[in-house]
Amino acid sequence: MEIKILQEKLAKALNNVSRVAGGARATLPILNNVLIRVDEGKVSLITTNLDMAVVSYLPASQSKNGVMTVPARLMAEFVGNLPRGEVVEIVSKDDKVTIKAGEYTSTINGASAEDFPELPEMDDAKAVKFQMEVEEFKAGLSQVMIAASNDTTRPALTGVYFNTFEGALYLAATDGYRLAERKFIEKVESEVTAIVPTGSLQEVLRSIGDDVNEIEILFDETQVRFRIGEIEVTSKLINGSFPDYRQLIPKETEIGVDLKRDELVRVTKLAALFAKEVGGSIVCKTSVENGCFSIASVANELGENNSEIKTEVTTDGKVTLNSRFLLDALNVLDGNAVRFGFSNKLDPVVLKAEGDDKYIHIVMPLKG
């Protein structure tokens, strides 16, 4: 195997794929390696942790067919430290890989590709496909992922639920205490119900370069593949049933107030400072008499806090929330006008940005 390729291109590709290699979950030594394959002038860099695989495709100015694996992170760090603008030459012989760039030469002990796991295959003709702009993908995914659970005893809640409903593609996530839903693509012809691990989605977000404008998403029965320019991220789907979350979304609320997002963030942060010793518990109130929405911390050893925002109020009400969950939701809402809706102290709080009917965030109240 022989390759000649620009340092910048090789370093970027190695950086993308090396994140998936090895780590605490690597059960086989070969999983610490990157597989380098050269086939008719096209170079593939491949890593996998068995749950997810990343492939980066590169054009090479000169090459000879072959395949070899080398330690991914060592290779990435070595090439990353070579001078920019240099042409990197990689030659493999037996189980050794020699890397040359200008005056720099190094030999890395590799391993045969025979032990490297087979990559998952996907039949493009049978896969369910979606395409969308990268910026919309990044923004929508970030709004939903924050509500996913970290509790591995409930695996279905540790992912993001891709599902079609009434001709549109939606994303949803919940940890049992909050729920986020985003209408992802307005009109779709294919149908899908699939739970994608949040770790895989985070890797997809990290793999998106500034020069990529569109992303392609493909599903089959057991896996999903994201195509981002010259990079492919393939992940197993989570095997489980996602809750019927739509029945948890209130169709309307008895109380609703319109607030400026930055003001609401400020008063929530102030109350949260005093709520650390009580699990972040804060009390949100509406007062018709005072014409305000207020947030107060529960009195404790640190003291207490109460802040008010003047707004139009038609009904008195009170609900107790986790301050972190409220702040997480506010930080991903678009614009600076927020609708805060609830019915009573035991019903979910519904948060929406003014003029955005695609995203809804629900926070379950605390007993208080």
Side-chain angles (χ1 to χ4, degrees), residues 238-268:
I238 294 174
N239 185 20
S241 297
F242 200 81
D244 184 11
Y245 71 90
R246 286 190 174 88
Q247 66 178 353
L248 304 175
I249 302 175
K251 291 181 170 57
E252 56 184 31
T253 57
E254 295 175 8
I255 303 169
V257 289
D258 296 311
L259 305 162
K260 289 184 177 179
R261 188 176 69 90
D262 54 2
E263 277 191 283
L264 185 52
V265 168
R266 185 180 298 112
V267 298
T268 304

Side-chain angles (χ1 to χ4, degrees), residues 234-353:
T234 303
S235 169
K236 291 180 179 177
L237 299 174
I238 294 174
N239 185 20
S241 297
F242 200 81
D244 184 11
Y245 71 90
R246 286 190 174 88
Q247 66 178 353
L248 304 175
I249 302 175
K251 291 181 170 57
E252 56 184 31
T253 57
E254 295 175 8
I255 303 169
V257 289
D258 296 311
L259 305 162
K260 289 184 177 179
R261 188 176 69 90
D262 54 2
E263 277 191 283
L264 185 52
V265 168
R266 185 180 298 112
V267 298
T268 304
K269 284 182 176 179
L270 290 172
L273 292 173
F274 292 84
K276 291 178 181 178
E277 290 189 358
V278 288
S281 177
I282 57 174
V283 179
C284 304
K285 290 183 180 180
T286 54
S287 171
V288 175
E289 181 181 350
N290 297 328
C292 73
F293 173 87
S294 66
I295 294 185
S297 59
V298 179
N300 59 69
E301 291 182 4
L302 291 175
E304 56 187 294
N305 166 268
N306 186 74
S307 301
E308 297 181 349
I309 301 174
K310 293 295 181 182
T311 187
E312 184 178 337
V313 179
T314 58
T315 309
D316 288 339
K318 180 174 78 170
V319 65
T320 304
L321 297 177
N322 180 301
S323 58
R324 181 172 67 84
F325 291 168
L326 178 55
L327 284 170
D328 283 349
L330 294 174
N331 286 333
V332 297
L333 286 173
D334 290 331
N336 196 35
V338 176
R339 181 75 172 177
F340 186 107
F342 65 106
S343 294
N344 62 57
K345 63 180 183 179
L346 297 179
D347 288 335
V349 169
V350 180
L351 297 160
K352 289 185 176 181

Side-chain angles (χ1 to χ4, degrees), residues 108 126 142 147 217 284 308 334:
I108 297 178
K126 295 181 180 179
S142 298
I217 311 169
C284 304
E308 297 181 349
D334 290 331

Side-chain angles (χ1 to χ4, degrees), residues 141 143-163 171-182 194-196 198 201 238 241-249 325 348 359-364:
L141 189 58
Q143 286 182 316
V144 174
M145 282 174 59
I146 59 167
S149 175
N150 295 319
D151 184 0
T152 55
T153 63
R154 304 176 73 186
L157 301 188
T158 63
V160 172
Y161 183 46
F162 285 67
N163 67 101
L171 266 63
T174 181
D175 58 7
Y177 304 102
R178 51 187 169 169
L179 164 70
E181 182 199 59
R182 177 81 190 181
I195 308 173
V196 182
T198 53
L201 292 169
I238 294 174
S241 297
F242 200 81
D244 184 11
Y245 71 90
R246 286 190 174 88
Q247 66 178 353
L248 304 175
I249 302 175
F325 291 168
Y359 182 66
I360 186 169
H361 197 108
I362 292 171
V363 180
M364 296 302 294

Side-chain angles (χ1 to χ4, degrees), residues 12 130-139 184-185 204-205 207-217 227-231:
K12 182 179 179 180
F130 303 101
Q131 284 185 316
M132 66 185 304
E133 292 183 0
V134 158
E135 289 307 314
E136 286 185 31
F137 174 83
K138 289 163 63 176
F184 220 42
I185 303 177
V204 172
L205 290 176
S207 298
I208 297 174
D210 296 334
D211 56 341
V212 181
N213 298 317
E214 195 171 66
I215 185 167
E216 185 177 32
I217 311 169
R227 286 181 177 152
I228 320 143
E230 296 300 315
I231 297 173

